[in-house]
């Protein structure tokens, strides 16, 4: 059953600070944050320090701070892991909104209210700080900057991520939305943030981004290389979950479909009509055909006809299916993994047809000119494209309408 979002009573906020061996940094963090919230934050708030298996005096320091400040709470975990700390604290929270913040306070606190406000009003489901969004200002070393940009670029290329910064330690979520997601997030370490965001986007939730001021604290507990390798494994695991359907989360609160506010509004037609699909498919197909011919001509210099045709078609099919998913059949909701899988089935049929045309040509003329090969490939591509459109419309993108 689809439920609408209830914005009643969204006034309580839990701000979670996971710590591991942070006895030096924790007191300053809590005091600065406590004073800032008391003076500037309009919602009822609580600071929750989660000590995850510290080996120094962090737990004792945290308990001392809880005794000093009424709004500070402490949770202790016997296992290490930032993701685990957030999962445990957010799952147990009775607040309407949960926030995560790094103990080093690298993110400027003036972004906290803009981070939380869209969740309180019900406008958004999750909210993240971004060091890479327009308007953000950062002070950090070139190595961390390079790794961060490469990582987020990989997320956009491999998962189509629409958020710009997956791992900034400054995030918030509506508790009623994030709790069902937590059951499907498997990582307990640094990939937790990314996995949560990928699942949220995959399930159609709205993620709000806040550009932040961010100053790097070089006293970090992060193993950059080890974290990067774990993140790559996590990206592969989430991709498999998307392809199998395991990434779809049931019982999430669903926001109502968009409606015009003005009673006399003249609404645009949804991009699902046959005329739009034919036009968009023709443009995408023309670009794909030109790219395929260019790649075939290049690869034919090294490989035999069938191999050159196969490699060229694999590359252009990835582009073609994704472009049609984004522009041609936009009124259909379907997972990216299944779409590309079915797209490759259509590609197999298309490849068999165009390859058969090339085989027929070489059967009739063992040494055809390169121009004649390209002409036959063009003709078979035109016929195959018509068949591809029918299969895409009737099978691949025959999904649930938005």
């Amino acid at each position: 059953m689809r439920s609408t979002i209830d914005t009643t009573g969204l006034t309580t906020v839990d701000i979670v600070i996971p710590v591991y061996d942070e006895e030096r940094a924790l007191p300053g963090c809590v005091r600065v944050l406590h004073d800032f919230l008391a003076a500037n934050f309009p919602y009822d708030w609580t600071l929750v320090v989660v000590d995850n298996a510290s080996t120094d005096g962090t737990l004792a320091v945290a308990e001392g701070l809880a005794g000093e400040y009424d709004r500070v709470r402490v949770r202790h975990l016997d296992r290490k892991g930032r993701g685990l700390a957030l999962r445990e604290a957010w799952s147990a929270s009775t607040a309407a909104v949960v926030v995560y913040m790094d103990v080093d306070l690298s993110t400027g606190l003036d972004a906290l209210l803009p981070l939380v406000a869209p969740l309180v009003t019900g406008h958004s489901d999750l909210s993240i700080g971004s060091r890479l969004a327009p308007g953000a200002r950062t002070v950090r070393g070139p190595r961390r900057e390079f790794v961060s940009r490469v990582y987020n670029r990989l997320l956009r290329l491999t998962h189509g991520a629409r958020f710009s910064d997956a791992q900034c330690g400054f995030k918030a979520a509506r508790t009623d939305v994030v709790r069902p997601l937590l059951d499907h997030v498997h990582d307990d370490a640094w990939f937790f943030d990314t996995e949560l965001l990928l699942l949220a986007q995959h399930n159609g939730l709205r993620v709000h981004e806040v550009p932040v001021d961010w100053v790097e604290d070089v006293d970090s507990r992060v193993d950059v290389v080890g974290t990067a390798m774990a993140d790559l494994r996590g990206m592969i695991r989430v991709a498999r979950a998307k392809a199998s359907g395991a990434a779809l989360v049931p019982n999430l609160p669903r926001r109502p479909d968009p409606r015009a506010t003005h009673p006399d509004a003249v609404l645009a037609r949804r991009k699902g009509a046959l005329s739009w699909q034919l036009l968009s498919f023709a443009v995408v197909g023309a670009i794909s055909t030109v790219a395929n011919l260019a790649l075939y001509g290049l690869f034919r210099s090294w490989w035999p006809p069938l191999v050159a045709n196969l490699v060229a078609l694999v590359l252009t099919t990835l582009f073609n299916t994704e472009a049609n998913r984004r522009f041609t059949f936009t009124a259909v909701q379907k997972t990216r993994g299944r779409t590309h899988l079915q797209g490759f089935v259509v590609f197999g049929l298309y490849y068999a047809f165009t390859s058969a045309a090339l085989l027929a040509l070489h059967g009739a003329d063992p040494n055809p000119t390169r121009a004649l090969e390209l002409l036959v490939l063009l003709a078979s591509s035109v016929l195959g494209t018509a068949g591809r459109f029918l299969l895409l419309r009737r099978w691949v993108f025959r999904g649930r309408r938005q």
Side-chain angles (χ1 to χ4, degrees):
M1 177 182 295
R2 293 171 62 88
S3 60
T4 58
I5 293 176
D6 179 15
T7 59
T8 304
L10 291 183
T11 57
T12 55
V13 180
D14 275 356
I15 301 171
V16 177
I17 306 170
V19 289
Y20 171 74
D21 288 355
E22 296 285 2
E23 63 177 349
R24 182 192 66 83
L26 185 57
C29 167
V30 170
R31 291 188 176 110
V32 169
L33 190 52
H34 183 279
D35 292 347
F36 175 85
L37 292 168
N40 301 284
F41 202 61
Y43 308 117
D44 186 19
W45 54 271
T46 301
L47 287 181
V48 182
V49 179
V50 183
D51 171 51
N52 45 325
S54 291
T55 60
D56 63 0
T58 298
L59 180 58
V61 170
E63 290 174 342
L65 292 167
E68 182 179 350
Y69 297 103
D70 291 339
R71 294 198 180 193
V72 176
R73 305 286 183 270
V74 179
R75 290 177 59 90
H76 173 70
L77 303 178
D78 294 327
R79 286 196 296 126
K80 181 182 175 183
R82 181 188 66 168
L84 175 65
L86 293 176
R87 182 198 311 280
E88 293 294 323
W90 285 1
S91 297
S93 176
T94 58
V97 172
V98 287
V99 177
Y100 152 54
M101 191 178 298
D102 281 335
V103 69
D104 57 15
L105 298 182
S106 292
T107 306
L109 294 179
D110 59 349
L112 182 58
L113 185 55
L115 186 82
V116 171
L119 308 179
V120 173
T121 62
H123 174 272
S124 300
D125 302 302
L126 289 88
S127 189
I128 66 172
S130 174
R131 298 160 294 186
L132 302 175
R137 299 180 298 178
T138 63
V139 179
R140 60 175 166 175
R143 182 190 181 198
R144 294 282 293 270
E145 180 77 14
F146 175 77
V147 170
S148 177
R149 289 186 179 276
V150 169
Y151 178 68
N152 284 284
R153 176 66 65 179
L154 278 175
L155 286 175
R156 288 193 287 275
L157 290 175
T158 58
H159 285 270
R162 293 188 293 274
F163 44 85
S164 65
D165 190 354
Q167 291 194 313
C168 180
F170 196 68
K171 293 181 173 64
R174 293 170 50 87
T175 309
D176 62 336
V177 171
V178 79
R179 193 170 282 127
L181 287 175
L182 292 175
D183 294 335
H184 290 72
V185 177
H186 299 290
D187 190 83
D188 283 337
W190 294 98
F191 188 70
F192 175 91
D193 306 49
T194 303
E195 187 169 2
L196 180 70
L197 290 174
L198 290 176
L199 287 177
Q201 179 179 296
H202 184 67
N203 285 275
L205 299 178
R206 177 177 289 170
V207 179
H208 178 72
E209 236 178 29
V210 179
V212 298
D213 294 339
W214 194 85
V215 180
E216 179 181 9
D217 185 344
V218 296
D219 181 22
S220 175
R221 305 291 185 269
V222 182
D223 175 8
V224 176
V225 175
T227 300
M229 296 305 297
D231 288 344
L232 290 175
R233 292 192 293 270
M235 281 190 271
I236 295 172
R237 176 169 49 78
V238 174
R240 289 175 178 168
K242 287 181 178 181
S244 67
L248 293 175
V249 180
N251 303 320
L252 281 174
R254 303 289 181 186
R255 61 182 63 254
D257 292 334
R259 295 179 180 232
T261 302
H262 197 286
D264 301 320
V266 179
L267 303 181
R269 295 180 62 186
R270 191 182 289 273
K271 291 181 180 179
L274 178 60
S275 58
W276 165 258
Q277 291 177 352
L278 285 172
L279 176 61
S280 178
F281 182 83
V283 173
V284 172
I287 296 173
S288 300
T289 300
V290 171
N292 183 56
L293 292 173
L295 290 173
Y296 177 83
L298 174 65
F299 298 149
R300 186 65 180 88
S301 303
W302 310 319
W303 301 322
L306 297 187
V307 176
N309 188 37
L310 174 63
V311 177
L313 280 176
V314 167
L315 295 175
T316 53
T317 295
L318 286 171
F319 162 77
N320 185 282
T321 303
E322 183 63 18
N324 279 308
R325 188 184 74 85
R326 292 194 181 196
F327 302 111
T328 307
F329 301 99
T330 56
V332 176
Q333 286 185 334
K334 213 163 187 181
T335 62
R336 181 192 297 259
R338 180 171 296 181
T339 296
H340 279 285
L341 182 62
Q342 292 177 318
F344 269 107
V345 173
V346 176
F347 152 75
L349 297 173
Y350 182 78
Y351 173 69
F353 180 75
T354 54
S355 296
L358 289 174
L359 287 173
L361 171 64
H362 279 261
D365 182 356
N367 297 298
T369 64
R370 189 63 51 81
L372 182 58
E373 271 191 358
L374 290 174
L375 181 62
V376 169
L377 184 60
L378 175 61
S380 62
S381 296
V382 171
L383 293 175
T385 297
R388 175 183 276 182
F389 175 79
L390 293 176
L391 286 172
L392 289 176
R393 180 178 170 84
R394 298 291 183 180
W395 180 50
V396 177
F397 293 102
R398 189 183 179 184
R400 180 167 58 89
R401 296 276 165 179
Q402 288 183 349

